[in-house]
Amino acid sequence: QVQLVESGGGSAQAGESRTLSCSVSGSNFVIQVMGWYRQAPSKERELVASILTGGPTTYGDSVKDRFVVSKDDSPNTVNLQMSSLKTEDTAVYYCHVQITDLNSYLRRDYWGKGTQVTVTL
């Protein structure tokens, strides 16, 4: 089983920086992609940033040039450095990982429980 544990959420003022981290644990899997999604009230969940095992990254249009996603392989961790925060960044942020299960060779998606980020003026 794969477990995701998020940390780093909380409150911030506009213009400040925060970093989210997500550690991935478990056994018998290979990580394909790690990243972060967010969901604001009354909105659909959207991609914030993702990073492939080989390193290529993808960012949502609203966070390009402000957020940076990175990963560590030991232990498996994905980080999201958020800079120049805006009130519209307020949302619940979810860690996401897609793995290949080495027992079945099927790809599976796992999600963290979510961490609230609230940005005020």
Side-chain angles (χ1 to χ4, degrees):
Q1 192 60 272
V2 178
Q3 295 181 327
L4 284 65
V5 178
E6 301 146 329
S7 62
S11 299
Q13 290 191 319
E16 291 184 338
S17 299
R18 289 290 186 271
T19 297
L20 304 181
S21 294
C22 174
S23 62
V24 182
S25 61
S27 60
N28 293 322
F29 64 87
V30 174
I31 293 176
Q32 302 297 333
V33 60
M34 306 171 77
W36 293 89
Y37 285 71
R38 69 185 182 186
Q39 188 166 18
S42 303
K43 293 189 177 181
E44 294 186 353
R45 190 173 296 191
E46 63 175 359
L47 172 69
V48 177
S50 65
I51 182 166
L52 299 178
T53 299
T57 57
T58 301
Y59 292 93
D61 289 340
S62 61
V63 305
K64 284 180 181 177
D65 301 323
R66 297 190 298 122
F67 291 10
V68 176
V69 64
S70 62
K71 66 180 182 67
D72 295 313
D73 294 332
S74 183
N76 290 317
T77 304
V78 59
N79 305 301
L80 184 69
Q81 295 174 279
M82 305 183 292
S83 302
S84 302
L85 282 165
K86 303 177 180 179
T87 56
E88 49 263 46
D89 293 320
T90 295
V92 178
Y93 285 70
Y94 296 91
C95 179
H96 166 259
V97 62
Q98 185 180 86
I99 60 98
T100 296
D101 186 325
L102 295 179
N103 293 317
S104 64
Y105 291 95
L106 294 175
R107 290 203 174 189
R108 301 185 188 278
D109 292 287
Y110 289 89
W111 296 88
K113 294 180 179 180
T115 184
Q116 177 72 45
V117 174
T118 302
V119 184
T120 58
L121 292 174

